[in-house]
Amino acid sequence: MRSKPSVIADSRKDFRGPRSPYLSCCLLFLAVVLGRATCYPQAAKHAAEAVRITGDVRDQSGAALPRTLVQVRDSEGRLVAATQTNSRGGFTLDVRPGRYVISAILAGFAPLKDQPVEVTHDPRLLSLILEVPSPQQEIIVTATKTETPLSQVGSSVTVMSGRQLAGEGIATVADALRRVAGLTVVQSGGFGQVTSLFIRGGGSNYTKVLIDGIPVNEPGGTFNFAYLSTTGIDRIEVVRGPQSALFGTDATAGVVQIFTRRGTSEGLSPKPSAMIEGGTFASYRYGGGVEGKGERVDYSVFFSRFDTDNNVSNGSFNDASIAGNLGFRPTRNSEIRAVFRSEAGRSGVPGQWAFERPDQDAFYRNRNEAGSLTFTYLANTSWTQKVSYVVNDSRQFSADAIDSGSYVPQFEGRTAPFPFSDFTYQTLNQTRRQKVNYQSDLILPHGHVFTAGADYERESGTIGDPQLNPTEAFRDNYGSYFQDQWSFHNRFFTTTGVRLEHNASFGFFAAPRLSIAYHAHEPVSGSLFGLTKLKANFGLGIKEPSLIESFSNSPFFMGNPNLRPERALSFDAGIEQHFGSGRDSVEVTYFENHFRNQIGFNVTDFTTFSGTFFNIGKTRARGVELVLRRDLGWNWEISGAYTYTDAKVLESTDASDPAFARGQELFRRPRHSGYLDISWKPGHWDLRATGIFVGSRVDSDFSSLGMTRNTGYSILDLLAGYKIGWGSSLFVACNNALNARYMEVLGYPALRANFRVGIRTGF
């Protein structure tokens, strides 16, 4: 039975917290120019009589609802005071003693209207409860760097919860991202092999990857998803389109942010969880964790270990993951939070074993550690400040100690015109990113939320053969960003912002952004049509050169310190239509991206085959994304997505390779792709079938076989789970159940049919 909206008032003492002893010069200047207070001003003639009331707005589960419009009217219906809630759902209003009615309105939630409240000189703390009509309503962070209801965001955003991923049997972030419209995941073989992500036709280094706000890309944007597991993940937020206005370099085509799970169990006593599973290809995975939450402290620690041999000689892979999150609240208006995550492991590198014999001794070691310390202070209900220090340390080492001789690549009747030689090598890629950030969020009159921030980042690295004069490089980057979120009558929402970036490699750059969301139709109880949201976005993206591209001292690939940043200009527009209670929805989005100044490598001396890097590329990508969700009734649900991408090379980065020729479709970006998921949950059972389709795409064998296109493929994944009680469940999963033969990357066969069986408890 659906509960009614309610308002609860008590006489607990008003808590405002101490005033901050300082203001940043930037924010003080803006406050003077704008002439605005941090809450709705009351008339001077009433100041002496005004009574301050505070409160919060939450949903039925107790979750805070930020950016909720709270209004107070007198007995004649005149507006007396109004404000928006902050990131914790809190608000403050100054009114004269008397009888009023209060309303709380948030798009996508059942409004709380005209609830009577009596204001006296005895301070009041109000608790307002909004009913959640749809489970699809989310509070997200990545699109605006502030807690914002998804219904007010114009960006194309996908949110996946950790509980959802566990229920679907998904063990890696890469596999989760295959189920997002506009994204293409490419894996060079089995588990642990190089795994890249392409968003809306952008390059594999055009995505900013964050863990609780910590950038984990290498400087220059590259990130290997092969080692990123779903251990300890609370949710994943994917924002498509340039986000450099907030996140600076590397957020050229989109942002993927992973949030670590916080302790949620009541009481500080540890609440344990555990899982264990095994399957084909000598696969074995186990993990566990503990969590707890008290009045002032919450904590969680999770770990997992995964091993497999990938059914190929020298294809073994192991990975160990650790995730921790600790929060401490010294006062009611301050918080200190520490986050740590580590991924470490080893994988054999059999190479393009579809074209040649597997390499028997090449290997790759990876260690990626990320940590942050954040202090959050609520000066009052309208002003929030954050100071954070984040660091990411990545170490990747590749080696092949034995020369196995020469070989001639062959595949399906094709034979290379000359033999290729194996050779010994060792390569170290060790990078570190450290950042200090300050951010201030102000709730201003007339529906504005203003955000200002500044950060300093130091990037450093050691790259190359560790025994042969490797490249030692570093650069300092500075940035500031400004953003205004405006809500007009709780139906029209805009987000405008700009980031001013100074990079040691390319100098100054300004990245603006505009996002619009309009509610053309609000949900009405009993109506077939729910929320109708129209949205549009425009923005510029930027990507710095990698450390190798800027600073390499190798004579074979000399760095170019004069490289310009790669840039993106993007536009998208779409509509989201919800039906009934909001569980059913359809989303259609058109996007168009233009990428220029792309960096490529050119040989400058054909005697020694030495070369350097130049800005010589330009590409274009446009397409359509379709997303649907449907509750079929009788415990049946269906969801899916389809992406059409028309992406072409306008200026080639490598004219010698026909796969990169001018006019060619973009490398490894399929024209057609999508997925369809059907689930049935009768009683204790959870039965699920997921089909993934990827169309043909341009590729290169890089072995002189003359292959410039990779055929499409379709796979089917099956899952059966059974809840046995006490928070435990059994499951059986079968991936590639139809035993399809395919290669995501030419020369690297994907895994054939395989299954896993396991048990989870406490998740």
Side-chain angles (χ1 to χ4, degrees):
M1 181 175 179
R2 298 173 73 179
S3 62
K4 295 181 179 179
S6 62
V7 56
I8 303 171
D10 62 35
S11 58
R12 284 177 287 179
K13 187 175 181 180
D14 171 34
F15 179 83
R16 283 176 277 171
R19 299 287 181 179
S20 173
Y22 63 90
L23 284 171
S24 69
C25 295
C26 179
L27 295 178
L28 181 60
F29 172 77
L30 289 170
V32 172
V33 172
L34 296 175
R36 295 173 172 176
T38 60
C39 62
Y40 277 84
Q42 307 300 313
K45 64 180 181 179
H46 300 320
E49 302 179 18
V51 175
R52 173 157 292 184
I53 57 175
T54 63
D56 58 30
V57 181
R58 298 182 179 274
D59 66 16
Q60 294 157 302
S61 69
L65 297 179
R67 296 202 67 185
T68 303
L69 177 62
V70 180
Q71 297 177 323
V72 175
R73 298 181 184 273
D74 61 20
S75 58
E76 298 180 1
R78 292 190 296 262
L79 183 65
V80 176
T83 189
Q84 292 187 80
T85 57
N86 62 19
S87 60
R88 296 186 179 182
F91 65 88
T92 299
L93 292 167
D94 292 331
V95 298
R96 289 182 297 164
R99 295 179 180 274
Y100 301 93
V101 293
I102 190 168
S103 300
I105 304 172
L106 178 60
F109 291 78
L112 176 71
K113 290 188 176 181
D114 298 336
Q115 297 295 310
V117 60
E118 183 175 355
V119 178
T120 66
H121 286 287
D122 186 17
R124 296 294 183 95
L125 178 63
L126 303 178
S127 294
L128 310 181
I129 310 298
L130 296 189
E131 184 177 300
V132 186
S134 167
Q136 302 301 332
Q137 298 303 328
E138 301 272 3
I139 304 299
I140 64 171
V141 176
T142 309
T144 61
K145 264 197 174 182
T146 63
E147 290 84 354
T148 307
L150 183 57
S151 58
Q152 299 183 13
V153 172
S155 302
S156 295
V157 181
T158 298
V159 182
M160 295 172 286
S161 70
R163 189 175 300 275
Q164 171 191 350
L165 299 178
E168 296 179 5
I170 298 175
T172 67
V173 172
D175 283 341
L177 297 178
R178 297 178 193 276
R179 293 161 169 81
V180 179
L183 274 60
T184 300
V185 177
V186 176
Q187 185 168 305
S188 302
F191 291 108
Q193 303 304 308
V194 175
T195 306
S196 304
L197 175 67
F198 303 86
I199 295 183
R200 287 183 171 178
S204 60
N205 53 359
Y206 280 12
T207 302
K208 191 90 166 186
V209 183
L210 306 167
I211 297 177
D212 292 286
I214 309 166
V216 293
N217 305 73
E218 295 177 30
T222 302
F223 183 78
N224 181 6
F225 283 87
Y227 285 80
L228 192 53
S229 73
T230 56
T231 300
I233 290 181
D234 177 67
R235 70 186 189 279
I236 302 173
E237 295 181 0
V238 181
V239 184
R240 303 184 289 281
Q243 301 297 314
S244 291
L246 283 176
F247 299 101
T249 181
D250 307 336
T252 317
V255 173
V256 174
Q257 180 154 209
I258 296 159
F259 292 89
T260 305
R261 183 173 174 177
R262 300 183 181 186
T264 57
S265 62
E266 293 301 325
L268 286 175
S269 298
K271 178 184 177 183
S273 59
M275 60 84 65
I276 185 170
E277 65 180 53
T280 50
F281 308 147
S283 297
Y284 185 58
R285 183 170 180 250
Y286 61 91
V290 294
E291 61 170 302
K293 181 181 180 182
E295 182 178 352
R296 290 196 173 188
V297 176
D298 65 83
Y299 66 91
S300 71
V301 179
F302 296 93
F303 79 96
S304 70
R305 167 86 183 201
F306 177 56
D307 294 88
T308 182
D309 67 12
N310 278 318
N311 198 35
V312 61
S313 179
N314 192 34
S316 63
F317 167 65
N318 61 70
D319 175 49
S321 302
I322 301 174
N325 193 315
L326 172 65
F328 172 60
R329 291 166 288 281
T331 65
R332 289 185 61 184
N333 62 335
S334 63
E335 179 187 75
I336 300 171
R337 184 162 298 278
V339 174
F340 173 78
R341 187 176 184 94
S342 171
E343 306 275 357
R346 179 192 185 279
S347 61
V349 182
Q352 291 180 290
W353 60 276
F355 302 157
E356 61 190 61
R357 62 183 183 276
D359 193 304
Q360 296 299 310
D361 60 303
F363 68 91
Y364 170 81
R365 291 187 182 274
N366 174 80
R367 187 202 67 218
N368 194 298
E369 297 174 340
S372 69
L373 185 65
T374 303
F375 175 69
T376 303
Y377 176 66
L378 273 72
N380 52 51
T381 54
S382 300
W383 186 15
T384 303
Q385 300 178 87
K386 290 183 180 179
V387 178
S388 63
Y389 167 75
V390 304
V391 59
N392 173 244
D393 190 275
S394 174
R395 187 181 192 277
Q396 303 168 57
F397 180 76
S398 301
D400 186 349
I402 301 175
D403 185 346
S404 302
S406 62
Y407 61 92
V408 178
Q410 296 179 340
F411 182 73
E412 294 183 345
R414 296 173 180 261
T415 302
F418 48 83
F420 282 69
S421 297
D422 187 24
F423 59 91
T424 62
Y425 66 86
Q426 57 177 356
T427 302
L428 175 66
N429 186 357
Q430 183 168 325
T431 60
R432 173 174 290 183
R433 302 182 75 157
Q434 301 178 81
K435 178 182 285 189
V436 178
N437 175 261
Y438 168 80
Q439 179 172 313
S440 182
D441 303 314
L442 287 160
I443 299 176
L444 297 173
H446 312 299
H448 291 271
V449 177
F450 181 75
T451 298
D455 50 49
Y456 159 73
E457 182 179 44
R458 159 61 69 100
E459 300 175 334
S460 58
T462 301
I463 303 172
D465 189 325
Q467 297 180 349
L468 297 176
N469 190 28
T471 298
E472 301 277 354
F474 70 89
R475 61 184 164 210
D476 297 324
N477 304 327
Y478 304 86
S480 59
Y481 53 92
F482 306 90
Q483 175 183 265
D484 178 65
Q485 300 175 71
W486 179 47
S487 171
F488 182 68
H489 291 299
N490 212 41
R491 294 191 67 167
F492 183 75
F493 308 93
T494 66
T495 301
T496 56
V498 64
R499 181 181 178 92
L500 309 177
E501 183 94 358
H502 186 275
N503 186 283
S505 287
F506 59 77
F508 176 80
F509 183 81
R513 172 175 172 256
L514 170 64
S515 179
I516 297 173
Y518 172 63
H519 293 180
H521 180 267
E522 293 282 3
V524 178
S525 179
S527 173
L528 171 63
F529 292 97
L531 175 67
T532 303
K533 183 172 78 172
L534 307 178
K535 59 182 183 179
N537 298 273
F538 169 81
L540 299 185
I542 188 173
K543 189 194 80 66
E544 65 186 357
S546 69
L547 296 181
I548 283 289
E549 291 167 344
S550 288
F551 303 109
S552 173
N553 55 21
S554 170
F556 299 104
F557 42 91
M558 184 66 66
N560 182 356
N562 298 316
L563 289 171
R564 300 186 300 275
E566 300 184 45
R567 302 185 181 187
L569 184 151
S570 176
F571 165 80
D572 68 65
I575 180 172
E576 295 179 19
Q577 179 63 65
H578 296 257
F579 300 93
S581 64
R583 295 180 64 88
D584 303 335
S585 64
V586 175
E587 177 183 349
V588 181
T589 306
Y590 171 82
F591 63 88
E592 181 155 346
N593 302 320
H594 292 264
F595 306 107
R596 62 191 181 95
N597 291 341
Q598 290 176 297
I599 298 172
F601 178 82
N602 268 3
V603 176
T604 56
D605 187 336
F606 285 94
T607 302
T608 61
F609 291 98
S610 61
T612 188
F613 302 92
F614 296 93
N615 293 103
I616 52 178
K618 183 184 294 185
T619 62
R620 180 266 296 159
R622 59 169 68 110
V624 177
E625 298 166 351
L626 172 65
V627 181
L628 64 89
R629 303 181 188 91
R630 180 79 168 94
D631 184 350
L632 301 174
W634 298 286
N635 300 310
W636 285 89
E637 294 182 2
I638 185 172
S639 63
Y642 165 76
T643 304
Y644 169 78
T645 305
D646 177 20
K648 291 186 177 181
V649 177
L650 302 181
E651 293 182 8
S652 178
T653 59
D654 186 359
S656 63
D657 192 324
F660 299 92
R662 180 176 180 179
Q664 182 68 278
E665 293 180 11
L666 288 187
F667 188 66
R668 292 177 183 165
R669 278 77 138 190
R671 183 176 288 265
H672 305 280
S673 62
Y675 84 96
L676 184 66
D677 181 88
I678 301 176
S679 65
W680 184 39
K681 301 179 181 179
H684 291 266
W685 288 94
D686 184 353
L687 307 175
R688 185 180 302 272
T690 304
I692 298 176
F693 164 73
V694 176
S696 65
R697 58 244 178 251
V698 169
D699 204 339
S700 176
D701 57 69
F702 296 108
S703 298
S704 300
L705 292 172
M707 301 173 66
T708 60
R709 197 159 194 88
N710 198 350
T711 57
Y713 65 89
S714 299
I715 58 174
L716 176 66
D717 297 338
L718 302 175
L719 175 73
Y722 181 78
K723 298 178 182 178
I724 58 179
W726 304 285
S728 302
S729 62
L730 298 169
F731 71 92
V732 177
C734 183
N735 295 331
N736 191 12
L738 301 181
N739 203 29
R741 293 177 177 268
Y742 67 99
M743 295 182 289
E744 293 187 19
V745 178
L746 281 176
Y748 301 87
L751 292 177
R752 303 292 299 277
N754 59 94
F755 73 89
R756 296 172 290 131
V757 59
I759 183 172
R760 300 187 183 96
T761 181
F763 283 88

